[in-house]
Amino acid sequence: MTPAELKSREQFLISTLRAATPLLLEGFTLTPGSDAKRNQAIGTSEKSSFKDLVTVYDQRVEHFLVERLQKAFAGETIIGEEASSQNKLQKDDYAKHDLFWILDPIDGTTNYVRAYPFFSSTIALMKKVNGQALPQPVVAATWNPVSGEMFHATKNGGAWLNEQRLQVSKVKNPQQSLVTTGFASARSQSSERPFELFTKITKSTLGVRRDGSAALDLAYVACGRIDAYWEWGLSPWDTAAGALLVEEAGGRLSSHSGSPWDSLSGEILATNGSIHDWMLEQIAE
Ligand code: IPD
Ligand code: CA
């Protein structure tokens, strides 16, 4: 795919995500409170546990995005969280495709349920590059409809926030760093490790944020608001777009042991590069 083709798909994602704004904001603003009335209005229900929520708006936004992608790119595979969350993605399924779209209609559903303004809609185009066994993100867009911030990127074409080119932060001293993490629902119930690490890193940095949308956490690393982000137990649609944003903004990605980031492993460490080794040491200890 030529750079011009990647850019044209990036523009398509930008306009498609912008077009989903009325629907995203309809559910967000439907009722002012966070109570039974709101849950009824937005159709909240539990998926795998009481911590894993979905609303009718997750399904409606996914339907909206998938329909537009299908119309524009007939025949291309689309993986959406709500349609595919019942079937756990396996490496074999992933590796079967040379090219596919992956999307999360609402990343930060718990925030959305509570009308807490930190959630996003995120899409990436995945493609096998240079003979790699697994597809990598080559086009990405993550949209925060509340702040009006569109984070977007193409492979080798840079990362952008609206019209501004992005660069990761230059912070080198961990004591001057602001970092973020998240607690995936299944993992947080079965292991103390994420909480121990949260405490340890809180003490040695400016602080640890826990904002609740992995896609925006990664976008924040790309734009330099945050210097590092780590988490376990993620799904590939949470991280696909954000991983490209971080790479294209000059940041570094890896697993928690320092090996190359694998979109299916569920774990990610994304940093400005300068504090990456320090973060790996903290996670390893
Ligand atoms: C969740 C968010 C959250 C992260 C969870 C994800 P969802 O996605 O990205 O920040 O901590 O692991 O599952 O369920 O809101 O799409
Ligand atoms: Ca979601």
Side-chain angles (χ1 to χ4, degrees), residues 47 51-53 58 81-82 104-111 118 120 181-185 210-217 229 231-235 237-238:
K47 289 200 282 187
K51 278 178 177 287
D52 186 12
L53 303 176
D58 294 74
E81 174 176 10
E82 302 316 330
D104 188 347
I106 300 181
D107 182 58
T109 297
T110 306
N111 287 342
F118 197 85
S120 59
T181 188
F183 301 100
S185 48
R210 194 279 193 245
D211 286 326
S213 164
L216 283 179
D217 291 335
Y229 162 65
E231 190 165 341
W232 282 271
L234 294 160
S235 300
W237 43 78
D238 299 323

Side-chain angles (χ1 to χ4, degrees), residues 74-92:
E76 294 186 1
T77 300
I78 304 163
I79 298 172
E81 174 176 10
E82 302 316 330
S84 56
S85 54
Q86 278 86 349
N87 326 309
K88 231 177 162 348
L89 286 171
Q90 304 293 342
K91 273 209 165 68
D92 289 353

